[in-house]
Amino acid sequence: MDDNGIVLLVEDDKEILRINRRILEKEGFTVLCAESLCEARQKLAGQSPDVLVLDIMLPDGSGLDFCREVQDFTVSPVLFLTALDENHEIVEGLAAGGSDYITKPYDMEQFVARVKSHLRLARMNQRAAEQAKTLVRGPLTLEMVSGRAYLNGTDLLFNAKEFALLRFLIQNEGTTFSKEALYEAVWNLPVIHDARVIKSHLSRVRVRLQGSGYTIETVCGVGYRFGPVK
């Protein structure tokens, strides 16, 4: 595998696919291409890309649904690249598990920089995970390499962003973070969109922590912190 990693491009516009493939290969990436979700699934069956760049409007389905689907077996970042640029569409993409959202038309240098940034962050997270393979709080266990969380041995079925959010809060137990700080830490992006993205993820994580003896506490007017149930 090339040192710069493998990128899977899922795009039904042949010209955009050709241009993005050429520029990424020039930057040293190994590039896989798919023009449909069916073809993307075939690529994933034989390869493990480090980054997925995913259109939303595809001939055989929605990239949003596909993003949710792949979170069951990969923690690789998903970057949406789409013509859908309404605020609620961006929020929906990030809420579906996207690590970034790029709207067409787009700046090519910025596109490459974002791919590199997310790959770099993913590798940093992987190295950190290898250094600390598990986090344990009472009956709650987080397995860093697999990206899975268990309560009394039962898989809590977190998606990649939910797991990353809980991991960050546990690693900083007792510290209160604003929505903005959590968003920047977990999504690696400044907060420019609807706060519902972070709220919905916090809510889902909090529900699944019930019975663990731990919770994500809301500190009124300040933010959120992880700690034992009081």
Side-chain angles (χ1 to χ4, degrees):
M1 184 184 77
D2 194 288
D3 284 344
N4 277 1
I6 300 175
V7 179
L8 172 60
L9 301 176
V10 186
E11 171 64 64
D12 63 336
D13 187 312
K14 295 181 185 296
E15 182 63 12
I16 291 177
L17 194 61
R18 183 188 67 82
I19 292 172
N20 287 348
R21 178 174 189 170
R22 178 173 57 82
I23 193 73
L24 288 173
E25 286 180 339
K26 187 176 180 180
E27 292 292 325
F29 289 96
T30 298
V31 181
L32 309 174
C33 295
E35 297 181 21
S36 67
L37 295 180
C38 179
E39 190 175 353
R41 292 185 182 97
Q42 293 172 355
K43 298 289 184 182
L44 288 173
Q47 295 275 5
S48 297
D50 301 289
V51 179
L52 284 73
V53 179
L54 180 61
D55 195 3
I56 291 179
M57 296 183 294
L58 290 156
D60 55 346
S62 166
L64 295 174
D65 293 335
F66 185 71
C67 180
R68 299 184 184 99
E69 175 186 328
V70 299
Q71 289 175 40
D72 289 338
F73 55 85
T74 182
V75 294
S76 298
V78 174
L79 284 66
F80 286 111
L81 181 63
T82 176
L84 301 177
D85 60 0
E86 294 292 331
N87 187 67
H88 71 89
E89 293 166 335
I90 296 172
V91 170
E92 187 175 7
L94 296 173
S99 298
D100 205 344
Y101 196 103
I102 306 168
T103 58
K104 303 172 184 176
Y106 55 97
D107 180 85
M108 188 58 67
E109 289 185 2
Q110 184 181 128
F111 166 67
V112 173
R114 290 192 182 193
V115 171
K116 288 182 176 180
S117 174
H118 285 288
L119 176 59
R120 185 166 57 250
L121 178 64
R123 286 180 169 172
M124 288 172 57
N125 288 339
Q126 183 178 10
R127 285 194 296 270
E130 290 171 351
Q131 292 171 0
K133 295 184 182 297
T134 60
L135 277 176
V136 179
R137 295 295 185 276
L140 184 66
T141 301
L142 273 64
E143 292 187 354
M144 299 305 190
V145 176
S146 66
R148 294 186 178 278
Y150 297 87
L151 178 58
N152 293 316
T154 300
D155 193 338
L156 294 176
L157 301 175
F158 288 136
N159 66 36
K161 281 289 181 260
E162 291 166 352
F163 181 88
L165 179 60
L166 179 58
R167 180 186 63 203
F168 178 80
L169 286 168
I170 289 179
Q171 290 173 332
N172 296 277
E173 183 175 350
T175 302
T176 302
F177 295 92
S178 66
K179 292 190 297 292
E180 292 78 9
L182 287 174
Y183 197 93
E184 291 182 8
V186 176
W187 274 261
N188 194 35
L189 291 168
V191 175
I192 57 173
H193 303 304
D194 198 315
R196 287 176 297 177
V197 172
I198 189 69
K199 285 184 177 180
S200 64
H201 281 72
L202 284 166
S203 177
R204 289 196 295 271
V205 172
R206 184 182 283 141
V207 167
R208 295 179 194 179
L209 288 178
Q210 291 178 359
S212 69
Y214 289 86
T215 189
I216 299 173
E217 179 186 0
T218 299
V219 181
C220 187
V222 181
Y224 305 87
R225 66 185 175 205
F226 177 88
V229 175
K230 297 178 180 178

